[in-house]
Amino acid sequence: GEPYYFFICVTSLLYLNNSKTAKKLYALAEAASNNKEKNLAMAAAGYIGRKYDDYIYYTEGFISDFSKSNIITSDIAFKYVLRFFNNVNTEDKLSDTIKGLEKIAEKYCKGSAFQLFIEAVDALTAEKPAEAKLKRVLKADPNWYLAEWLLGTVYSGQCEDEKSIEHHVRSYKICKKAGFNPEECFDASYYCEAAAAYYLTKQLAEAEKYFKKCLEIDEEHP
């Protein structure tokens, strides 16, 4: 089954994200009861320490081991791979990291929603059209709340504010329905995008609510 308790330990440390976090993650890896847990902790440590080659190496180990008996569903992907994007600033090597995940998805999860999602994120990072790719993700697995969120972002950039609101709201609902805590899954940019769309459609009460939430998370958000 899933190493859920171990996952809680790892992500709890990710949220702390201080100078001692990587050392604690390495200690968790040493205490791991199997390779799946060890690879998860080592991947997180690599990410925290900005050792992105290590992150990709151990993520491949985790997915390789997990995919032998399980499909990488949206639930699994969010818990053990993609949530790291929300926890750690990776702008300096984001593109290289996504390329590494693309290779892993191609090798172990070809044709899956996981692979389609990584391809969509790659397109967005390269500022290429991503709408059709994100829709393919949702067709393959409607539970990918991150794909819904990013569709909202795409429509916001196209000044289609009603569509942007629709997808931002839907992503939040999917997240909650899947059993995740939205407080952990959505960062300030999500609330800022939604607030701007509400403002531009003259839904000022909603805009104010979302702007306040954005500033509550990050008071210096641009």
Side-chain angles (χ1 to χ4, degrees):
E2 300 172 29
Y4 189 71
Y5 176 76
F6 199 83
F7 153 76
I8 292 295
C9 294
V10 170
T11 50
S12 294
L13 288 171
L14 282 171
Y15 288 125
L16 291 176
N17 192 16
N18 58 38
S19 60
K20 297 180 180 179
T21 299
K23 288 182 179 180
K24 290 179 180 177
L25 287 165
Y26 286 126
L28 270 180
E30 288 294 321
S33 61
N34 55 57
N35 283 336
K36 191 186 299 182
E37 292 182 351
K38 179 179 179 179
N39 285 327
L40 176 62
M42 290 296 289
Y47 220 83
I48 285 286
R50 296 183 179 274
K51 297 178 180 179
Y52 300 110
D53 290 341
D54 285 356
Y55 166 70
I56 291 298
Y57 176 81
Y58 288 107
T59 295
E60 178 170 4
F62 173 81
I63 289 181
S64 170
D65 188 53
F66 200 94
S67 63
K68 290 173 185 175
S69 56
N70 301 271
I71 299 172
I72 306 298
T73 61
S74 57
D75 185 51
I76 300 305
F78 297 146
K79 283 180 182 176
Y80 306 121
V81 183
L82 301 176
R83 289 183 81 175
F84 295 157
F85 284 112
N86 290 349
N87 300 333
V88 185
N89 180 9
T90 62
E91 291 301 320
D92 52 345
K93 288 198 69 175
L94 181 58
S95 180
D96 288 346
T97 305
I98 291 170
K99 291 293 185 187
L101 289 175
E102 273 193 296
K103 291 178 181 178
I104 293 171
E106 173 74 19
K107 186 174 181 179
Y108 299 101
C109 320
K110 191 174 179 62
S112 67
F114 177 72
Q115 182 187 24
L116 295 171
F117 181 78
I118 297 300
E119 289 177 355
V121 172
D122 185 35
L124 283 170
T125 304
E127 298 184 350
K128 295 179 180 178
E131 180 181 351
K133 291 180 181 292
L134 289 166
K135 286 181 176 179
R136 286 178 65 200
V137 176
L138 292 166
K139 184 176 181 180
D141 186 345
N143 289 322
W144 282 71
Y145 73 85
L146 283 174
E148 286 282 6
W149 172 5
L150 292 177
L151 263 178
T153 303
V154 168
Y155 288 127
S156 180
Q158 297 172 357
C159 297
E160 297 183 62
D161 299 305
E162 292 288 357
K163 282 188 176 181
S164 178
I165 291 170
E166 176 187 339
H167 288 284
H168 276 92
V169 170
R170 190 180 297 161
S171 67
Y172 193 94
K173 289 180 177 178
I174 291 172
C175 178
K176 287 193 71 175
K177 187 177 179 180
F180 294 110
N181 181 358
E183 299 294 321
E184 298 174 358
C185 298
F186 296 106
D187 61 16
S189 62
Y190 167 85
Y191 294 98
C192 184
E193 290 168 7
Y198 277 120
Y199 179 80
L200 291 169
T201 55
K202 302 188 186 305
Q203 300 180 62
L204 301 184
E206 288 297 305
E208 182 180 7
K209 181 175 74 174
Y210 278 82
F211 274 129
K212 283 182 176 178
K213 186 63 179 178
C214 169
L215 294 174
E216 180 184 316
I217 295 172
D218 181 2
E219 61 184 20
E220 297 181 359
H221 190 79

